[in-house]
Amino acid sequence: MQAARDKLKGIIQPGDTFTVMEAFAKEYYVYGDNFGRGGQAIYRGLGLTPPPLVQNELMGETQWKSVSKEVINKYAGSYIFLTVSRENTGYTGDSIWKSLSAVRNGRVFELQEDRYWYFDPIAIVGQAEELADLLVQRNKDHVSQK
């Protein structure tokens, strides 16, 4: 886990926030640090920071929340880890989705549902390593485009 965290040094900036979510036709689901979907790896393993509303509402006893499209911007971090499946693929054309800062800045990572639902110790370490690699690659791609 430490090796995965070390990869992110110099890539994650102070003030960067991270949200774990799923998108559906009329709503989003936002997840905390102990409900699968990569939350354990993102928040606990890699030590990445959630937005304030996620921190306040979903890091305790309540670990998930259905959020309407109209207020998703209040939960969306500067990076979004989005669990996707065959059922939730229509979000990309949505104007509210397109207005999110993470979307406009190319900071959305689609995570395959069947890989990120699990949260046993082996899965969490594997997810953390994979997520760190995704962030490193995104940073390299972003720097090379400048």
Side-chain angles (χ1 to χ4, degrees):
M1 196 63 75
Q2 186 61 50
R5 284 192 292 267
D6 289 346
K7 288 180 184 180
L8 299 178
K9 290 181 180 172
I11 291 175
I12 304 306
Q13 302 302 311
D16 284 347
T17 57
F18 298 81
T19 303
V20 179
M21 67 171 65
E22 283 182 277
F24 291 94
K26 297 183 188 223
E27 64 192 345
Y28 292 87
Y29 286 91
V30 181
Y31 299 101
D33 64 345
N34 198 29
F35 195 77
R37 311 305 199 281
Q40 289 91 340
I42 292 163
Y43 300 126
R44 292 180 180 194
L46 295 174
L48 301 176
T49 305
L53 271 180
V54 174
Q55 177 70 46
N56 294 337
E57 295 179 14
L58 302 173
M59 296 296 185
E61 199 169 306
T62 301
Q63 285 287 315
W64 66 275
K65 181 176 185 171
S66 171
V67 179
S68 72
K69 287 183 175 186
E70 292 74 25
V71 297
I72 194 59
N73 64 323
K74 295 178 181 178
Y75 292 85
S78 45
Y79 289 82
I80 294 173
F81 293 103
L82 184 75
T83 304
V84 295
S85 68
R86 283 182 232 125
E87 292 81 34
N88 63 352
T89 58
Y91 61 89
T92 57
D94 182 76
S95 62
I96 293 173
W97 174 254
K98 289 179 181 178
S99 74
L100 298 177
S101 173
V103 176
R104 290 192 323 269
N105 292 307
R107 293 180 170 180
V108 176
F109 300 91
E110 291 185 346
L111 309 178
Q112 294 306 308
E113 170 181 78
D114 59 348
R115 171 114 173 92
Y116 284 87
W117 271 37
Y118 302 101
F119 52 97
D120 60 87
I122 294 169
I124 293 169
V125 170
Q127 291 167 8
E129 291 169 348
E130 189 172 289
L131 293 165
D133 289 342
L134 286 171
L135 288 163
V136 167
Q137 186 59 50
R138 189 262 172 211
N139 185 63
K140 285 180 184 176
D141 292 347
H142 183 70
V143 169
S144 69
Q145 291 174 0
K146 286 186 176 181

